[in-house]
Amino acid sequence: MSGSVQLEGAALDAAVFHERLRERGSQHVMGTYGDRSLAFVRGEGTALFDGAGRPYLDFLSGLGVTSLGHAHPAVTAAVTEQMSQLVHVSNLYWTEPAIALAEDLALVTDWPDAKVFFAQCGGTANEAAIKLARRHGKQQADDKVRVVTLSGSFHGRTLATLEATGQAAKHEPFEPLAGFVDTVAWDDAEALTAAVGPETCAVLLEVVQGEGGVRPVPQEVLLAARAACDAHGALLIVDEVQTGLCRTGTWFAFQATSVVPDVITVAKALANGLPIGACIARGAAAEALQAGHHATTFGGNPVTAAAARAVIREMGHANTCGNVLERSRQLDEGIARLVGSSPYVTGLRGRGLLLAVTLDAPVAKAVEVACRERFLLVNAVADDAVRLAPPLNVRADEVELMLEVLAAALAHVAATTTEDTP
Ligand SMILES: *Cc1c(COP(=O)(O)O)cnc(C)c1O
């Protein structure tokens, strides 16, 4: 009795807290993100706590960012120590954390000749990769500046990366764009081969399209991209912003394929929530950008670099990639049990812990809401697909709990949807 009264009180507190933030936020924060469904004050591991201290099971990790869970102690310790030493000096001077991080990245890519440019996020890492590819192209011919990308891709929101993003709806509000990108169907190897020519400086793609609906790109498309780049002296850039740092079960998604890119970009999980991006190149690509070609004030910031070093160290020590593969198998089996026993569910797509539960009706948004009402955070990445991207150190019991809540949410959506049908 008193328990349920208390819970109602907590729900009220959380709603009031959320409403207050909504009012203030809509006054002075630009409305680029539409309405936001919840407000949070604290996180710990796989849990996020609302304004009344109620825990939510976080199966989104800030869109693949807090891969070691919220407030990871090793990251907090590294940041705190670096904060008290040195925060910023500009790129006029050397600092050690960024150099050590570049060395770490050369190890985990397994590229002994890797060179790294540090940016602030995924978009700015891709921006650097595009500029790098244009320099590399212009060393061969002045008009070798075109980029080939795939439909459904997502590469960022700066003007260049927006254009490279294969989603027309995101372009339309800003057209005309510069017109240096050729987009081909994401699953068509022949179209990709045909699109790459003497004016192409790069092919830019994801191994598993994240925002585009968690869709693994077919192996033959990856092979075609590598072959076409080699044939035309273009660079293969793999955007690992969402897939990088163990998300798909290997340090980088390309490492589970037979294709080795010239450049990769990483960002989201690299510093477990602090803003950082990196453009990592090997071979001739590593020499394409020289003094004066590209720069950014905050790139290689000692604090974010220290956080990223802690992430890589922790992922190595804890065998995070191993846990990703085990939990991925557990989810595979769990979702297979839901096919037939729960409404809508047809299967699971994706790799490692970048997954989407596929549905046979456009009810993903309703499922997202029903999960939220049951204190589980997931998101509708398409009308008929619900994305799961938990922290990579998620435990087996947390996966089981998520499966139970998801089943309850699906049953609720089916029950209410039937009522609505005349
Ligand atoms: C999120 C994302 C980006 C953009 O990263 P930002 O940090 O938002 O600039 C680029 N590429 C991929 C694959 C992403 O998932």
Side-chain angles (χ1 to χ4, degrees):
M1 256 316 197
S2 68
S4 86
V5 171
Q6 246 177 357
L7 194 66
E8 275 168 31
L12 201 63
D13 286 351
V16 168
F17 177 74
H18 179 207
E19 191 47 39
R20 228 178 264 148
L21 287 194
R22 187 211 299 266
E23 269 168 30
R24 285 170 56 199
S26 58
Q27 283 263 286
H28 292 296
V29 177
M30 283 191 194
T32 51
Y33 302 104
D35 200 9
R36 309 185 204 198
S37 53
L38 292 168
F40 289 111
V41 291
R42 190 169 75 78
E44 188 181 333
T46 313
L48 274 174
F49 297 87
D50 70 9
R54 296 179 306 174
Y56 282 71
L57 184 60
D58 182 6
F59 261 60
L60 281 180
S61 324
L63 301 178
V65 170
T66 50
S67 277
L68 293 176
H70 297 283
H72 192 283
V75 179
T76 305
V79 166
T80 308
E81 194 188 329
Q82 187 58 47
M83 246 353 245
S84 65
Q85 289 285 316
L86 185 68
V87 177
H88 177 87
V89 296
S90 90
N91 287 307
L92 296 176
Y93 311 103
W94 290 109
T95 53
E96 207 251 347
I99 298 169
L101 175 58
E103 291 165 350
D104 293 346
L105 289 168
L107 283 177
V108 292
T109 49
D110 201 16
W111 291 354
D113 61 346
K115 289 195 176 175
V116 184
F117 177 85
F118 289 110
Q120 294 80 21
C121 62
T124 51
N126 283 331
E127 190 81 23
I130 292 169
K131 285 184 72 178
L132 181 158
R134 285 170 82 105
R135 279 305 309 151
H136 182 264
K138 282 171 78 73
Q139 286 163 4
Q140 299 167 63
D142 215 42
D143 61 352
K144 194 172 180 60
V145 294
R146 300 193 67 78
V147 173
V148 173
T149 62
L150 305 185
S151 65
S153 62
F154 184 80
H155 298 297
R157 302 288 202 146
T158 67
L159 275 172
T161 60
L162 172 68
E163 186 167 354
T165 290
Q167 301 182 39
K170 291 187 168 65
H171 294 183
E172 273 152 24
F174 302 99
E175 283 170 343
L177 299 178
F180 70 95
V181 173
D182 303 302
T183 305
V184 299
W186 70 283
D187 55 353
D188 189 340
E190 276 174 37
L192 182 103
T193 303
V196 178
E199 294 182 359
T200 307
C201 69
V203 174
L204 169 61
L205 51 77
E206 299 149 273
V207 171
V208 180
Q209 293 192 336
E211 300 311 298
V214 187
R215 292 185 302 182
V217 170
Q219 172 88 357
E220 66 260 27
V221 172
L222 302 178
L223 291 168
R226 181 69 273 176
C229 286
D230 290 343
H232 291 281
L235 298 178
L236 176 58
I237 306 170
V238 170
D239 180 343
E240 297 259 11
V241 167
Q242 189 155 167
T243 52
L245 284 306
C246 295
R247 174 57 60 186
T248 63
T250 46
W251 278 109
F252 302 100
F254 83 83
Q255 290 167 331
T257 76
S258 54
V259 167
V260 183
D262 303 291
V263 180
I264 64 170
T265 52
V266 294
K268 287 194 163 88
L270 185 53
N272 209 49
L274 292 185
I276 189 170
C279 168
I280 310 168
R282 68 180 178 96
E287 310 301 330
L289 289 176
Q290 291 298 327
H293 284 145
H294 197 45
T296 175
T297 299
F298 289 109
N301 173 274
V303 176
T304 52
R309 294 205 69 209
V311 166
I312 292 174
R313 209 179 308 127
E314 178 65 23
M315 285 183 171
H317 286 167
N319 185 19
T320 297
C321 284
N323 189 60
V324 167
L325 295 174
E326 277 175 39
R327 299 287 77 78
S328 186
R329 266 195 299 275
Q330 186 188 354
L331 276 162
D332 236 357
E333 289 164 14
I335 297 299
R337 286 199 302 273
L338 293 189
V339 178
S341 72
S342 271
Y344 306 119
V345 180
T346 57
L348 193 63
R349 68 174 179 238
R351 299 263 160 76
L353 290 176
L354 176 55
L355 297 167
V357 181
T358 55
L359 309 171
D360 63 11
V363 293
K365 196 75 206 173
V367 174
E368 175 190 318
V369 172
C371 287
R372 186 157 69 228
E373 288 166 357
R374 289 160 180 76
F375 302 94
L376 168 65
L377 302 178
V378 295
N379 95 310
V381 74
D383 289 345
D384 59 356
V386 175
R387 170 164 48 183
L388 308 177
L392 305 182
N393 51 9
V394 65
R395 297 190 314 259
D397 61 300
E398 292 168 329
V399 168
E400 283 312 310
L401 178 60
M402 188 284 298
L403 288 164
E404 277 172 36
V405 177
L406 179 62
L410 288 159
H412 172 82
V413 171
T416 47
T417 304
T418 315
E419 274 167 32
D420 291 344
T421 313

